[in-house]
């Protein structure tokens, strides 16, 4: 566990130095994000094969990839094709190749998103670890490839501007859709991203008709989560009808529920969302804030549903970055008083770290990332 605490310390220390003493803030921000990316990628990439619940299974698949057919029914074709490509380029079946390449890709996409959007990168990187999204990259490799592709999709969607030409706007709609479809070939759960994709596009039309407020989104999120919880059986039927491949997960071990773990997973992002909404108050949301709240809302809804069935927790992973990488830091920066802002940043990060320590110390089987060991 020491290595994770060391990473948190270095991120916090670098954030303070970059913010308080940088002569060229933009250049310092770029260097800071690059160094954090390298550190976190190496920590994940150099881990032992027993760090992470499914690491050893993915390693065994990679070591036998030359003999595996793309028609293998256990894994999606895109994932198997990528493993064959990595093997063909490196000519090595070493577990280190797979873990380093995958870690650099996962952490790289998160770091790029934080660099482009987070106004307080240190808070985002600290929450990335403390909210345990970083550990997902060590546990759900196939899904993290899919998550990374959907991050790129959302960045393209977010890049649309009023001054874009008709072709540019269409291209920025088509590329995200194609990336979500591509992500589906790494993990079928990625298709869930079409829901916020459609809502964000339609929301832009609603945005132009009048102001949208944070408390409106909160009411919708809580109402949808409560309604979904009450009619969970119907939600499952609809999900499997629209996306039949989801039945594979719903009829598996993922049909079980970890009520306490899901309640904890729900409480933390919901508290952050409520607190940040309080800061925004009655001010109309800009487009970035509206999009962030839509995506964060899905994380809350799926965490609530995971109290009934663990499968929904997998879907929540697609949305976590928009909380710690966009909404939280960009809301905290709006606190006018410097001391109040630093104080709230500190309190939020410490509370998140404490929740992480509770899980790693008392429920290590949830993530299986402790004890951390270096691979050979």
């Amino acid at each position: 566990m020491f290595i994770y605490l060391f990473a948190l310390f270095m991120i916090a220390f670098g954030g303070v130095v970059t913010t308080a003493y940088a002569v060229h803030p933009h250049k310092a921000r770029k260097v800071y994000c690059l160094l954090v990316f390298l550190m976190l990628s190496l920590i994940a990439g150099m881990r032992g094969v027993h760090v992470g619940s499914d690491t050893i299974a993915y390693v065994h698949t990679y070591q036998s990839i030359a003999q595996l057919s793309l028609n293998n029914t256990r894994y999606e074709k895109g994932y198997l094709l990528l493993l064959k490509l990595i093997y063909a380029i490196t000519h090595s079946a070493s577990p280190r190749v797979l873990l380093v390449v995958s870690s650099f890709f996962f952490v790289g996409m998160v770091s790029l998103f934080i660099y482009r959007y987070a106004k307080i990168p240190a808070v985002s990187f600290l929450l990335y670890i403390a909210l345990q999204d970083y550990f997902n990259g060590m546990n759900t490799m196939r899904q993290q490839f899919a998550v990374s592709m959907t991050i790129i999709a959302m960045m393209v969607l977010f890049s649309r501007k009023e001054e874009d030409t008709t072709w540019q706007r269409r291209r920025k709609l088509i590329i995200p859709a194609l990336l979500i479809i591509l992500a589906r070939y790494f993990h079928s759960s990625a298709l869930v991203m079409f829901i916020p994709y459609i809502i964000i596009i339609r929301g832009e039309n609603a945005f132009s008709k009048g102001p949208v407020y944070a408390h409106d989104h909160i009411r919708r999120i809580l109402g949808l989560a409560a309604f979904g919880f009450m009619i969970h059986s119907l939600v499952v039927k609809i999900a499997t009808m629209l996306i039949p491949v989801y039945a594979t997960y719903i009829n598996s071990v993922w049909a079980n529920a970890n009520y306490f773990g899901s309640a904890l997973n729900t409480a933390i992002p919901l508290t952050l969302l409520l607190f940040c909404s309080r800061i925004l108050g009655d001010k109309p949301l800009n487009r970035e804030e509206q999009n962030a709240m839509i995506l964060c809302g899905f994380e809350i809804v799926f965490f609530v549903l995971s109290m009934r069935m663990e499968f929904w927790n997998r879907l929540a992973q697609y949305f976590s970055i928009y909380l710690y990488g966009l909404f939280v830091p960009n809301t905290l920066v709006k606190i006018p008083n410097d001391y109040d802002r630093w104080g709230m940043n500190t309190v939020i990060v410490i509370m998140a770290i404490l929740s992480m320590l509770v899980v790693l110390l008392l429920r290590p089987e949830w993530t299986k990332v402790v004890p951390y060991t270096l691979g050979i």
Side-chain angles (χ1 to χ4, degrees):
M1 186 190 302
F2 170 78
I3 196 163
Y4 306 129
L5 297 177
F6 172 77
L8 289 168
F9 171 78
M10 293 303 295
I11 291 169
F13 177 76
V16 171
V17 172
T18 302
T19 304
Y21 302 105
V23 178
H24 303 288
H26 180 72
K27 184 177 181 180
R29 173 191 177 90
K30 184 181 295 186
V31 172
Y32 172 73
C33 290
L34 177 62
L35 291 176
V36 173
F37 153 66
L38 292 173
M39 177 182 68
L40 296 182
S41 297
L42 288 173
I43 290 173
M46 297 306 295
R47 72 187 187 275
V49 296
H50 296 289
V51 179
S53 58
D54 292 332
T55 301
I56 190 68
Y58 290 124
V59 165
H60 286 162
T61 302
Y62 178 68
Q63 290 178 324
S64 59
I65 192 62
Q67 291 76 43
L68 284 180
S69 167
L70 290 180
N71 294 322
N72 183 288
T73 57
R74 181 177 180 184
Y75 298 119
E76 288 83 354
K77 291 182 179 180
Y79 174 69
L80 293 175
L81 187 62
L82 178 62
L83 295 191
K84 286 181 177 291
L85 180 62
I86 295 173
Y87 180 78
I89 293 174
T90 63
H91 301 288
S92 172
S94 168
R96 197 57 41 217
V97 172
L98 174 65
L99 297 182
V100 168
V101 170
S102 59
S103 297
F104 268 72
F105 185 66
F106 306 154
V107 179
M109 290 303 101
V110 170
S111 300
L112 178 61
F113 186 90
I114 290 173
Y115 169 71
R116 290 187 61 176
Y117 295 104
K119 295 180 180 178
I120 315 178
V123 169
S124 292
F125 280 119
L126 289 168
L127 293 179
Y128 175 40
I129 299 176
L131 297 181
Q132 303 172 67
D133 197 36
Y134 177 57
F135 301 145
N136 287 333
M138 302 185 194
N139 287 307
T140 56
M141 185 178 294
R142 286 183 302 132
Q143 185 173 358
Q144 290 306 306
F145 276 117
V147 169
S148 299
M149 291 176 192
T150 63
I151 290 173
I152 301 172
M154 290 298 107
M155 287 195 290
V156 175
L157 193 62
F158 291 168
S159 69
R160 296 198 302 162
K161 301 176 182 177
E162 293 291 341
E163 59 269 24
D164 285 346
T165 63
T166 301
W167 164 241
Q168 287 174 324
R169 291 183 65 81
R170 288 177 179 173
R171 184 180 63 186
K172 291 177 182 179
L173 286 177
I174 294 171
I175 291 176
L178 292 177
L179 284 169
I180 294 171
I181 294 172
L182 177 62
R184 174 259 178 270
Y185 288 98
F186 286 81
H187 204 278
S188 55
S189 61
L191 291 173
V192 73
M193 289 301 293
F194 271 118
I195 301 175
Y197 168 83
I198 293 170
I199 292 175
I200 286 173
I201 294 171
R202 291 181 60 85
E204 290 181 356
N205 297 328
F207 184 86
S208 62
K209 295 179 181 179
V212 181
Y213 301 95
H215 52 74
D216 294 328
H217 277 289
I218 292 295
R219 282 196 293 267
R220 294 188 191 109
I221 292 167
L222 295 179
L224 182 60
F227 187 66
F229 186 86
M230 290 186 292
I231 62 164
H232 180 258
S233 297
L234 179 60
V235 173
V236 171
K237 290 180 181 178
I238 294 173
T240 53
M241 181 179 64
L242 295 177
I243 309 176
V245 73
Y246 279 10
T248 304
Y249 300 96
I250 291 171
N251 296 323
S252 69
V253 67
W254 291 100
N256 299 324
N258 178 356
Y259 191 88
F260 175 74
S262 298
L264 181 62
N265 285 337
T266 305
I268 297 171
L270 180 58
T271 300
L272 290 174
L273 197 64
L274 290 172
F275 175 76
C276 290
S277 299
R278 182 74 176 178
I279 293 175
L280 293 172
D282 292 328
K283 297 178 181 178
L285 300 178
N286 58 40
R287 186 163 295 168
E288 178 188 272
E289 292 165 343
Q290 183 182 0
N291 291 341
M293 288 203 75
I294 291 170
L295 290 160
C296 293
F298 277 100
E299 181 185 22
I300 302 299
V301 169
F302 286 126
F303 272 144
V304 170
L305 292 179
S306 69
M307 297 181 195
R308 303 290 299 270
M309 185 179 290
E310 186 67 17
F311 162 73
W312 302 110
N313 182 55
R314 299 293 291 265
L315 300 189
Q317 292 181 22
Y318 287 95
F319 304 97
S320 55
I321 187 173
Y322 307 104
L323 180 69
Y324 65 77
L326 179 60
F327 190 63
V328 170
N330 293 7
T331 302
L332 291 175
V333 80
K334 295 179 182 293
I335 299 176
N337 185 280
D338 290 343
Y339 291 105
D340 290 343
R341 184 168 61 253
W342 277 93
M344 290 314 306
N345 291 347
T346 304
V347 169
I348 287 173
V349 168
I350 289 176
M351 294 301 294
I353 292 175
L354 289 175
S355 71
M356 178 196 77
L357 292 176
V358 168
V359 172
L360 295 185
L361 291 173
L362 302 182
R363 289 290 185 271
E365 69 276 8
W366 288 358
T367 60
K368 295 185 178 179
V369 296
V370 291
Y372 177 89
T373 59
L374 282 172
I376 300 175

